[in-house]
Amino acid sequence: MPRIADACGASLPELRESVPADGDTYPANAALLFWGEAISVDKVTVTVDGEPAALVHAEFAQGLAPLAVRVEPEPLPGQTVVVAGDFCGEEDNCQASISFTAGEPDVVAPAPNVEASFFAVFKHTPFSYTQGCTQFEAAQAMYVHLEQAAPAAGEALVLFRVTWEPGEDTDGNPILLTARGVEATTIESDVLPAEHFGSADVRTDVCLEVLARDAAGNAAPPFELCPPCFMRSDETPLPPASSVPPEPVWTEADAVPGSACALATETSGEEPTSGEAPTSGEAPTSGETGLPEETSDSATGGEDGPDKGCACDSDGAGGPGSLLLLALGLIGVRRRR
């Protein structure tokens, strides 16, 4: 369980989670990832089938977790690896013992579904929240939907890195999100102040760069997501919150011009719905499109960068998902910036 926070929300040293978990089968060539506060492996030992080994920094997994190490020498498939000790120093009592079986090396890059991935922005009534010692006022929320081939047992953990770097003349603030891809659909969300994007118009000037890589060092080609598939403004008061508001149920009326969602509506000839759109905690599902699956994080950008995709789906017939499939079938190309 998390420990009681210090002043200003600062956490005391603790080990919260590890990949692999105790009892897992995990690729022999993958980095071991640990999440927590003030953790290290200085007082941690590792054995392979009972024989001493070493934990060394995993350069190829830098940025995937606060602590990433690999076992040296690399274990053989079928061998038992035991990592045990105090991850926070003896005085903090962060004792842990993790035993896992080394699996076959993972040499296959993640398979993101670019066409089915998208992001959306919800401009809502402002609310205050505290992060550490600082209080912020959130006025908009961003929801990033990332699709990939469903992970199989024994594969290295896939992580998505989502970034945006504002131009010099936009006076905006960068975006950096890291999401673990443990399912076919990953939704990463964040709250942002009203002025976060500066003078940049989210509908035309913001491209999220996405890179998918796994703990074994395999990476998919980076790609971009732009423009946002959906945007909505709603002045309805929100209840007091300290986290991201529930994602709205998007409709054709929320589709951003130039996005795949708007393109689907135009291609089908259907008129966008009007009136107030419902909101709920449900997010649109975009994994069941029948399109090739992909995933990713940092993008190359520029005219020579990879194609960008934006997809939308809904449970109802004739919704954004079905319209998108029709549009892709008729046009057969993705929009480039």
Side-chain angles (χ1 to χ4, degrees):
M1 295 294 292
R3 302 185 183 189
I4 297 175
D6 251 343
C8 295
S11 298
L12 295 174
E14 66 173 333
L15 175 66
R16 290 194 295 268
E17 188 179 355
S18 70
V19 171
D22 190 53
D24 282 352
T25 296
Y26 192 66
N29 64 332
L32 314 184
L33 306 178
F34 301 94
W35 286 265
E37 298 292 335
I39 55 176
S40 74
V41 291
D42 294 345
K43 298 182 181 296
V44 176
T45 61
V46 59
T47 60
V48 178
D49 276 354
E51 296 296 321
L55 293 174
V56 299
H57 180 63
E59 291 285 349
F60 61 83
Q62 184 175 359
L64 296 184
L67 179 61
V69 297
R70 58 184 177 86
V71 180
E72 191 177 83
E74 183 178 299
L76 298 174
Q79 290 187 308
T80 298
V81 181
V82 179
V83 179
D86 197 319
F87 284 82
C88 303
E90 294 177 0
E91 69 279 5
D92 295 307
N93 194 29
C94 284
Q95 294 284 341
S97 179
I98 302 161
S99 177
F100 66 93
T101 302
E104 293 294 332
D106 187 340
V107 296
V108 179
N113 187 338
V114 179
E115 289 85 354
S117 300
F118 68 95
F119 77 100
V121 177
F122 174 39
K123 295 185 177 181
H124 51 75
T125 52
F127 66 86
S128 296
Y129 69 101
T130 301
Q131 192 171 67
C133 298
T134 307
Q135 189 173 56
F136 298 89
E137 186 176 76
Q140 55 186 329
M142 183 173 67
Y143 310 88
V144 185
H145 289 240
L146 301 164
E147 299 289 331
Q148 65 172 332
E155 290 183 350
L157 175 67
V158 173
L159 290 103
F160 297 94
R161 187 177 177 86
V162 182
T163 60
W164 177 66
E165 289 294 335
E168 295 181 359
D169 56 346
T170 61
D171 195 29
N173 295 296
I175 287 174
L176 172 58
L177 302 173
T178 301
R180 299 187 222 179
V182 296
E183 303 287 348
T185 297
T186 300
I187 302 175
E188 184 70 8
S189 56
D190 197 12
V191 290
L192 305 169
E195 67 279 5
H196 188 91
F197 294 104
S199 60
D201 185 339
V202 180
R203 296 172 182 263
T204 57
D205 302 333
V206 175
C207 283
L208 300 184
E209 301 179 344
V210 186
L211 175 66
R213 56 182 178 141
D214 64 26
N218 307 301
F223 65 92
E224 287 184 338
L225 294 178
C226 58
C229 247
F230 299 109
M231 286 190 69
R232 179 187 299 177
S233 295
D234 192 339
E235 297 301 322
T236 304
L238 293 173
S242 59
S243 60
V244 185
E247 182 170 6
V249 175
W250 307 107
T251 72
E252 288 91 341
D254 303 317
V256 173
S259 71
C261 300
L263 180 63
T265 302
E266 294 164 4
T267 303
S268 70
E270 293 187 15
E271 291 294 328
T273 58
S274 59
E276 293 188 3
T279 58
S280 77
E282 297 181 8
T285 55
S286 51
E288 300 176 358
T289 59
L291 298 171
E293 302 208 349
E294 298 179 53
T295 316
S296 49
D297 180 289
S298 301
T300 55
E303 195 59 34
D304 296 328
D307 292 344
K308 279 106 38 198
C310 167
C312 9
D313 196 359
S314 69
D315 295 330
S322 58
L323 296 175
L324 174 61
L325 291 177
L326 174 60
L328 292 174
L330 293 176
I331 295 178
V333 295
R334 283 172 289 170
R335 178 179 178 272
R336 291 178 179 265
R337 279 182 64 83

